[in-house]
Amino acid sequence: MPRWGPCRKAPRGVQNRGSNRTETPAVNPDIPSPFALPGHLAAKADPALIAEDERHLRSIAGTLLRQRSEAAEHLDALRRQPRGSGEYALERDAHIRRLSARLRLLERFGADLTLGRIVPLGQGDPVYIGRTGLTDERGDRLLVDWRSPAAEPFFAATHADPHGLASRRRYRWSRGQVTDYWDEVFTTEGRDHHVALDDQSAFIASLGARRSGRMQDVLATIQADQDAIIRTGSRGALVVDGGPGTGKTVVALHRTAHLLYADPRLRAHRERPGHRSGVLFVGPHEPYLAYVADVLPSLGEEGVLTCTVRSLVPEGATAPEEADPQVARLKSTLALVDAVEPAVQLYEEPPAEGLLVETAWDEVWLGPEDWAEAFTARGPGVSHNDAREAVWEALLAIAVDRHGPVEADAESPRRSLSGNRGLREAFARHWPLLRPEEIVGDLYTVPAYLHRCAPGLSPEEVHALQREGPQSWTVSDLPVLDAARRRVGDPDAARRERRRQAALAADRRVMDEVIDDLVAADDSDLGEVRSLRTSDIRDRLDDGAGLPVQETDPLAGPFEHLVVDEAQELTDAQWRVLLSRCPSGSFTIVGDRAQARHGFRESWEDRLDRVGFRAVRRSTLSVNYRTPREVMTEAEPVIRAAVPDANVPVSVRSAGVPVHHGPAAGLRAVLDDWLAAHDQGDGVAVVIGDPRFTGVPGTDRVRSLSPALAKGLEFDLVVLVDPERFGTGIEGAVDRYVAMTRATRRLAVLTSDPGGSRCPGRGADAGPGD
């Protein structure tokens, strides 16, 4: 039975800022009550418990209505304004994006923007915590943004360390109304603040809630250990290590939103006109990205790009997996990625012999030292092709200096040398225009080239990497292609820029002719038309609008911060792809060494140090908030058999449903029984391991996935079909462990072998079955 404890104090209003008196917020009488507590929670509907919240939440709802209307009017007015040009246009567009995002957030939520409230010790008024900050028309703070320091106690307070709180209340919302709430009291004083004490916390209740096709943010129930990681600063790399169900993904997503709010570096990046958030979120596969797609927008952050490692490289869209395990292993190391630099350097070597350049009136000698000096014009970090123009200009400057005097009416030495065919051909030989895919293709088809650029490879390994189709790319080639593309650069960029400049020059010539005609026809005394010839007016008229622009890859970076989930699966070569997009090394790295399909024997610190990280911190999550004890009892022996030191978390709850074991022929019966018991359309299920299963007719609530594509997801019911066929060794054990721990309520293990109804690795004393 619940234990109720309403207080005897009269409810307090909201204190008006700048005054010692308290006032009840003005409430629109047309706004309905936000509370819809079911009949069995009638005791919680006592006005002494909820009257203050009811007034405050209705005030929030009214303020939201007003702000939605104002934001929509402002946005409409901005869109009707002329776009203009230059910096003004960028600022206007950025303002429209920010206002649109704010309006979407305001339209997405009503009073359920509120997570809960905290009551400080002493005589302080309740502080209401929301997904975003909210102030009414009088300037009174109705909601404190969950990311602000003032909101931290809402998440961090525990009975051991109440962070100055007397009590905390968390709401459960359903369709815009409060259907339950939970109070926690930290001190004796907290019992005097209209609290309802019961035996179930909001957090534990939320764990048993049924899933949908998308992850929901869990702001109201973030735990203190998770919140401490979310609020950690962004300097260096932070590794969040935790087993299944510990909330690693929750932490990663909410930490992303918090950093965008609290980190000055990220705020400055986001507020620059024309820029996105400066954060890239990298997930393991596309189903995972679809699953988490709604979380950041629900937290008010819409500018974060999401992708997989594969999608960072254009060829990743069609590249198959590497068929040869030995070749895949070789390409997963840094040997080939590091081979790109010396491979390109071979095309940047100055000639060993000089060149005599003949002109109509003189001869110019360019010795090896002159070529070497010109080649130093490539600045640090500039790609080979992008540096080509600078190197050519440096070589011309040296040649002009070597040139003797010319007659007054003669062609300029620079123009003459620039058009010299012999000099141009020599330059093209020693600093040629390169294509990145050809560089990589040559490494795979010319053994001597690969051996010279990757001397650490044995002759046998060099031979294994050779292939007939130099550009038959696989997933394992993507990091090498990415390294080559960054080092070589776009071979067509210079040509496109020349075309753009030519188009711009043509536009300017037409403009000059029009201005000349206008000035000639101007017979006024003021001569205002002549001002069109001034440079500032001309620049405003000629903003380049309508001309071809250089297209940039939004995933190329650089980014200020990277978030990487399921990071234990990344190879050294893939880590280099990510590091190249975030030179600062500011990362949130989320993973579980025990879930690495190809093994992860070393420490996080050792692996990340090897691939180039310099400042690495690690936080560990060890409490399983998702997976019921019944499931973990069976899953733990499966992974311990292959990874004895696995970080297996401790489950905090029981689902009350034992793991079901049965024959594979009973798959449809298991699903039909579950669908019949959940006929209200809530909850999702998955079948893992049966590629023949394509779903249940008439419903989209049952999916079919491989173990690899199930990683990072969660389901009410998980049905494993023939898990012993997932494979042997570490890969098979990890696939079984990952698949089992996707379940939040029920797990069924079905097998075609009557004698193999237990997952491999399960001990005799691992726990009861059906």
Side-chain angles (χ1 to χ4, degrees), residues 225-226 229-230 232 237-243 246-249 251-252 255 564-568 587-593 604 617-621 647:
D225 59 338
Q226 298 172 329
I229 297 173
I230 289 170
T232 302
L238 174 67
V239 176
V240 183
D241 180 77
T246 54
K248 300 185 301 297
T249 299
V251 167
R255 174 171 161 78
V564 189
D565 204 354
E566 300 295 345
Q568 73 278 350
F587 277 70
T588 298
I589 297 167
V590 181
D592 177 17
R593 292 169 57 249
W604 280 107
R617 297 163 291 162
R618 180 163 52 91
S619 294
T620 301
L621 295 171
N647 176 19

Side-chain angles (χ1 to χ4, degrees), residues 664-673 675 693 695-697 750:
L667 170 62
R668 187 58 187 268
V670 170
L671 296 174
D672 288 345
D673 288 347
L675 287 168
F693 176 78
V696 177
L750 309 181

Side-chain angles (χ1 to χ4, degrees), residues 634 637-638 758-767:
E634 296 226 3
V638 171
R758 293 289 188 264
C759 277
R762 181 179 185 270
D765 60 348

Side-chain angles (χ1 to χ4, degrees), residues 170-181:
R170 304 177 194 255
Y171 304 121
R172 170 181 280 181
W173 295 89
S174 178
R175 300 185 179 183
Q177 290 184 298
V178 178
T179 56
D180 202 354
Y181 65 90

Side-chain angles (χ1 to χ4, degrees), residues 389-531:
E389 189 67 24
V391 174
W392 172 245
E393 291 295 330
L395 188 65
L396 287 180
I398 293 171
V400 169
D401 286 344
R402 297 283 190 277
H403 201 283
V406 297
E407 298 178 3
D409 58 347
E411 181 183 27
S412 73
R414 188 189 181 286
R415 188 179 298 114
S416 175
L417 290 165
S418 178
N420 186 278
R421 181 176 178 180
L423 181 58
R424 282 193 166 277
E425 290 178 350
F427 178 72
R429 286 195 303 273
H430 296 288
W431 197 289
L433 193 67
L434 298 179
R435 294 192 172 276
E437 60 273 15
E438 293 177 354
I439 291 291
V440 180
D442 288 347
L443 289 173
Y444 292 153
T445 54
V446 184
Y449 186 43
L450 177 58
H451 180 72
R452 176 171 178 177
C453 298
L457 295 175
S458 68
E460 293 76 18
E461 290 172 332
V462 169
H463 177 74
L465 289 167
Q466 300 301 299
R467 64 189 186 199
E468 292 184 2
Q471 297 182 25
S472 301
W473 309 123
T474 67
V475 171
S476 298
D477 295 321
L478 301 181
V480 192
L481 276 170
D482 187 68
R485 187 164 284 119
R486 287 182 170 274
R487 179 61 177 86
V488 170
D490 184 353
D492 300 320
R495 174 177 51 82
R496 289 196 299 269
E497 180 60 20
R498 284 196 298 270
R499 288 181 177 177
R500 184 178 185 279
Q501 291 298 330
L504 186 60
D507 280 1
R508 285 175 176 166
R509 284 195 297 271
V510 172
M511 184 191 302
D512 289 343
E513 292 174 1
V514 171
I515 292 174
D516 288 343
D517 291 342
L518 289 172
V519 171
D522 181 26
D523 57 0
S524 68
D525 295 332
L526 297 177
E528 292 179 349
V529 176
R530 291 182 176 83
S531 66

